[in-house]
Amino acid sequence: QVQLVESGGGLVQAGGSLRLSCAASGSIFRINDMAWYRQAPGKQRELVAASTSGGFTYYADSVKGRSTISRDNAKNTVYLQMNSLKPEDTAVYYCNARIMRSGSGYEVDYWGQGTQVTVSS
């Protein structure tokens, strides 16, 4: 069994910062890509930032320059540092990871339960 657990969401004023964390646990052989998505009320889930096992990073235009994705491979954890937050950043943020379980031989996408980020104006 593999589990992703997010933390770090909350209520912050516009211009503030938050750091989201997502820790993967369980019978993990290898983690490939790790990413953060978000879903605002009435909108589709969208990719915010991603980090490949090779060190490549991707950012959506809406957060580029304000956010940094990083990972601690020893802890199977990915972080999203968000600065200069705007009300339009308000959403539920989900962690995603492509993981090969021990003994499986193939990768599967796993999702966290989501953490609420609310930015007040």
Side-chain angles (χ1 to χ4, degrees):
Q1 190 77 333
V2 171
Q3 194 173 18
L4 300 182
V5 178
E6 298 124 333
S7 60
L11 174 64
V12 64
Q13 287 188 331
S17 299
L18 281 176
R19 188 193 194 209
L20 307 183
S21 301
C22 171
S25 62
S27 56
I28 296 171
F29 175 72
R30 183 179 67 224
I31 300 179
N32 195 347
D33 300 346
M34 301 186 84
W36 288 95
Y37 287 75
R38 68 185 181 187
Q39 187 166 20
K43 295 188 176 181
Q44 288 189 329
R45 189 174 296 189
E46 62 175 355
L47 176 63
V48 176
S51 171
T52 70
S53 58
F56 176 79
T57 56
Y58 163 85
Y59 296 94
D61 287 343
S62 57
V63 303
K64 197 174 294 182
R66 301 188 294 120
S67 297
T68 303
I69 188 170
S70 60
R71 53 197 286 178
D72 184 334
N73 292 324
K75 296 182 179 180
N76 291 336
T77 299
V78 64
Y79 305 95
L80 183 66
Q81 176 70 43
M82 300 188 293
N83 302 320
S84 302
L85 283 162
K86 305 175 182 180
E88 50 264 43
D89 293 317
T90 295
V92 177
Y93 284 70
Y94 296 92
C95 174
N96 167 265
R98 185 157 295 177
I99 296 173
M100 180 181 292
R101 292 177 56 187
S102 300
S104 72
Y106 58 91
E107 295 178 337
V108 175
D109 272 338
Y110 290 89
W111 292 88
Q113 80 286 356
T115 185
Q116 177 71 46
V117 171
T118 302
V119 184
S120 63
S121 56

